[in-house]
Amino acid sequence: MSLRETPEFKKGRAGEHIVAKWFRARGWHVTPSYDYSGEGGNQAPRMSSAFSAYILPDLDVAGDGRRMWIEVKTKAEPTLHRITGILEHGIPMRLFREYKALELVTGAEVYLVIYEECSGELLFRPIGTEADGRVYDGPAMNRGGMIFWPRASFSLMGKVDR
């Protein structure tokens, strides 16, 4: 089975479409980065030069003289950090680092948008700095670690009609 046929991929792609539709409905112009994923759609979309390349977030969004990158994550629900008791959402550290570098190159901020299936809410926040999140660098989750932010640090963008 190819990656594009997995339930996880389909779930993520559905969330990306929901978020793109939300922005378009409010007058934003949206370029889905996933439209530029190589032959057969089997590569992460990249922006490259002769010397470097950067993985792109899911959406490039612009309107009224403002541009931002949007990384969409579809989550069933927030995770509970057992030690602190705080509900969180996170992304792999390797993506966080790529997106921080992309911000420097493009001058456009990267925002994380969570489509939370349990609540139907679209939550957003700038990815900020490493100090804004909780870094997990153990082997249990994702090679290279993860960064998590408290659910409470996200703002409500909207609610999805289900």
Side-chain angles (χ1 to χ4, degrees), residues 29-33 56-62 67-70 108:
H29 297 81
V30 177
T31 303
S33 300
L56 296 177
D58 299 308
L59 306 172
D60 183 356
V61 177
R67 181 181 184 202
M68 60 187 155
W69 298 101
I70 305 293

Side-chain angles (χ1 to χ4, degrees), residues 6 37 44 53 57 61 86 101 104 112 114 117-118 127-129 136 157-158:
T6 64
S37 56
V61 177
I86 294 174
L104 292 173
L112 179 60
I114 304 291
E117 293 175 313
C118 67
I127 64 166
T129 67
Y136 170 80
M157 194 167 94

Side-chain angles (χ1 to χ4, degrees), residues 3-39:
L3 172 66
R4 291 177 161 275
E5 295 171 350
T6 64
E8 295 82 10
F9 181 89
K10 291 177 180 179
K11 176 180 169 177
R13 183 54 50 93
E16 292 164 1
H17 286 283
I18 288 167
V19 173
K21 181 179 175 183
W22 186 93
F23 276 103
R24 285 186 184 109
R26 285 152 185 82
W28 292 86
H29 297 81
V30 177
T31 303
S33 300
Y34 49 78
D35 282 351
Y36 305 94
S37 56
E39 286 186 39

